Amino acid sequence: MSPVTWVDRTKLFFLGFLGYFLSSYIDCLGLQYISVGLERIVLYLTPTIVLVISYFVLKKSISRLQWCSLVVGYIGVFIVFIQDASSTGISAWLGMVLVFGSACSYAAYMIEAGEMVKRIGSVRLVVYASSASAVLSLLQSTFHHLSAIFEQLPIIYWYSLRNASLCTVIPMLLIMIAINHIGSPLVAQAGILSLVSTIFMGYFILAEPITWIQISGMALVISAMWLLVRNDAPSKKSSDSKQSADLESAEPLN
């Protein structure tokens, strides 16, 4: 495994800012204005954002089916957005922009992480990136309201510790391991259960309504992501076959 250089550390610090600090911060800001269901649906568009960034920045091709999936996915989000906008008004637009910005930030992080994880390893990447995010969070708290860090109820610290370990560090590590094995596009396209479970947990825990409009939009988004996964599978299989053939041809003849 390659040693981590100072250039790598700089990139990892930026990844921590982009994928964990900035993405989480503006996502929480957006949740003040839109429902948890819509927030999760917007974040579920991350694979489409990864696809578009890969197309324009990495010059990777997008098939006609993938373009159709993009359109279907965003139609689904628009359908759910109509429901939120009808109840919260103009603030829904602000929430939508913030959460979509969070998805873009995380998509950029996933692409860059996918380029680095195979060289430096998933564990080191998570340690450096999450540590950078923690430092940035402490700096923000210091400038915003330093005394508030030490004035919370004990249950708040317990919830924070549980959230940091079970909902942040462990999932980050698992995601990086998955990126190392199957690549960032497929990791971004996975997680249908995350979308469905969040919407129903919002209903049971936060008493957010589940309407047919929301279910219809969710179905469109899930269908779009499923098409992306289905379309990516043959190309990945072909790529793996080509790689195996190249390795075989590189072996010395006996």
Side-chain angles (χ1 to χ4, degrees):
M1 189 175 293
S2 302
V4 180
T5 65
W6 281 106
V7 175
D8 291 331
R9 292 188 178 97
T10 303
K11 291 181 179 179
L12 290 169
F13 185 87
F14 179 71
L15 282 179
F17 165 76
L18 198 64
Y20 299 143
F21 177 79
L22 180 63
S23 177
S24 300
Y25 181 65
I26 59 180
D27 179 51
C28 290
L29 290 179
L31 275 171
Q32 299 179 81
Y33 306 104
I34 61 177
S35 65
V36 170
L38 177 58
E39 180 260 359
R40 182 52 49 183
I41 289 176
V42 174
L43 291 182
Y44 199 65
L45 290 176
T46 299
T48 68
I49 302 171
V50 171
L51 200 64
V52 172
I53 294 176
S54 298
Y55 175 76
F56 286 104
V57 177
L58 303 180
K59 307 302 180 182
K60 294 184 178 180
S61 61
I62 298 181
S63 67
R64 183 176 301 177
L65 180 60
Q66 288 175 321
W67 281 117
C68 292
S69 301
L70 292 176
V71 173
V72 172
Y74 284 93
I75 289 176
V77 170
F78 181 73
I79 290 175
V80 180
F81 173 75
I82 292 176
Q83 175 181 286
D84 272 48
S86 63
S87 58
T88 58
I90 191 65
S91 61
W93 287 97
L94 176 58
M96 185 79 165
V97 170
L98 288 170
V99 175
F100 186 76
S102 172
C104 291
S105 177
Y106 193 72
Y109 156 77
M110 289 191 71
I111 292 176
E112 184 62 28
E115 299 295 321
M116 295 189 65
V117 69
K118 293 183 179 181
R119 186 167 58 83
I120 67 173
S122 56
V123 175
R124 289 196 293 181
L125 192 149
V126 169
V127 169
Y128 276 99
S130 58
S131 298
S133 177
V135 170
L136 290 168
S137 298
L138 287 173
L139 288 175
Q140 181 195 29
S141 300
T142 300
F143 288 108
H144 180 67
H145 200 320
L146 178 61
S147 61
I149 302 177
F150 309 99
E151 297 173 352
Q152 305 302 317
L153 296 174
I155 190 65
I156 300 299
Y157 296 112
W158 165 243
Y159 281 143
S160 300
L161 178 62
R162 189 169 64 178
N163 179 70
S165 58
L166 298 180
C167 303
T168 307
V169 176
I170 293 177
M172 287 190 319
L173 179 60
L174 293 176
I175 287 175
M176 285 301 101
I177 293 174
I179 289 177
N180 193 23
H181 282 81
I182 64 175
S184 55
L186 281 179
V187 171
Q189 292 163 17
I192 290 177
L193 289 178
S194 172
L195 172 60
V196 177
S197 62
T198 301
I199 290 177
F200 282 96
M201 288 177 68
Y203 171 77
F204 287 110
I205 298 176
L206 303 177
E208 291 185 350
I210 298 179
T211 66
W212 285 108
I213 294 177
Q214 191 177 44
I215 293 176
S216 301
M218 180 182 67
L220 285 175
V221 174
I222 290 176
S223 300
M225 299 307 102
W226 180 80
L227 285 174
L228 284 177
V229 175
R230 183 182 178 89
N231 183 74
D232 188 74
S235 61
K236 185 178 186 298
K237 183 177 180 181
S238 175
S239 176
D240 293 342
S241 300
K242 184 179 183 298
Q243 184 178 9
S244 300
D246 291 341
L247 288 174
E248 291 176 0
S249 63
E251 293 177 355
L253 297 176
N254 294 329

